[in-house]
Amino acid sequence: HVQLVESGGGSVQAGGSLTLSCEVSGSADNLRYMAWFRQAPGKEREAVAAIYDRIVTKTYYADSVKGRFTISRDNDKHSLTLQMNTLVPEDTAMYYCAARSQLGVVPPLVETSYDRWGQGTQVTVS
């Protein structure tokens, strides 16, 4: 059974950086899609970045974070990272790690593509 645990959130000033990590317990080999989503107070959860990892690696980003955020995955597939640079107050949200445990091709930045979720880690930018 796959479990996801996020870490690395915190408070930072605008222009600063944070690195979020997501540790995967259980079998990670079939998790071809993994992603970061975020939810700000009063808003719906939205995709931030996703990664597809099978033979070739593909990354996908929301327009709002392109050029500032980088998603990556360790070779052993048990850790997902989101490097966040040049943070702005609009990045303030709870950030969630997500994974897809089923096979198949899906849109990578869509919430319903994922069936495993972490508990979230708070990021606050002031």
Side-chain angles (χ1 to χ4, degrees):
H1 182 66
V2 171
Q3 290 187 315
L4 309 175
V5 178
E6 303 95 335
S7 63
S11 296
V12 64
Q13 291 188 339
S17 299
L18 279 176
T19 302
L20 303 185
S21 295
C22 174
E23 295 301 315
V24 181
S25 62
S27 177
D29 290 344
N30 289 332
L31 302 180
R32 293 184 172 87
Y33 290 92
M34 293 194 70
W36 289 96
F37 285 74
R38 67 185 181 187
Q39 187 169 21
K43 295 187 177 181
E44 294 187 352
R45 189 153 56 184
E46 63 176 3
V48 176
I51 187 166
Y52 173 81
D53 185 11
R54 173 164 172 79
I55 302 177
V56 294
T57 299
K58 298 181 181 180
T59 56
Y60 309 85
Y61 296 94
D63 288 343
S64 60
V65 306
K66 281 181 182 176
R68 301 189 298 122
F69 291 11
T70 302
I71 188 171
S72 61
R73 194 172 177 187
D74 283 5
N75 289 336
D76 65 4
K77 304 187 188 302
H78 280 85
S79 181
L80 181 73
T81 299
L82 185 68
Q83 176 65 44
M84 305 186 295
N85 299 325
T86 320
L87 286 160
V88 298
E90 291 74 24
D91 294 320
T92 296
M94 185 72 79
Y95 283 70
Y96 298 90
C97 175
R100 177 177 174 83
S101 65
Q102 302 172 44
L103 300 178
V105 178
V106 294
L109 295 177
V110 173
E111 185 174 349
T112 53
S113 295
Y114 299 90
D115 57 357
R116 296 288 185 268
W117 294 85
Q119 294 299 307
T121 185
Q122 177 67 37
V123 171
T124 303
V125 184
S126 60

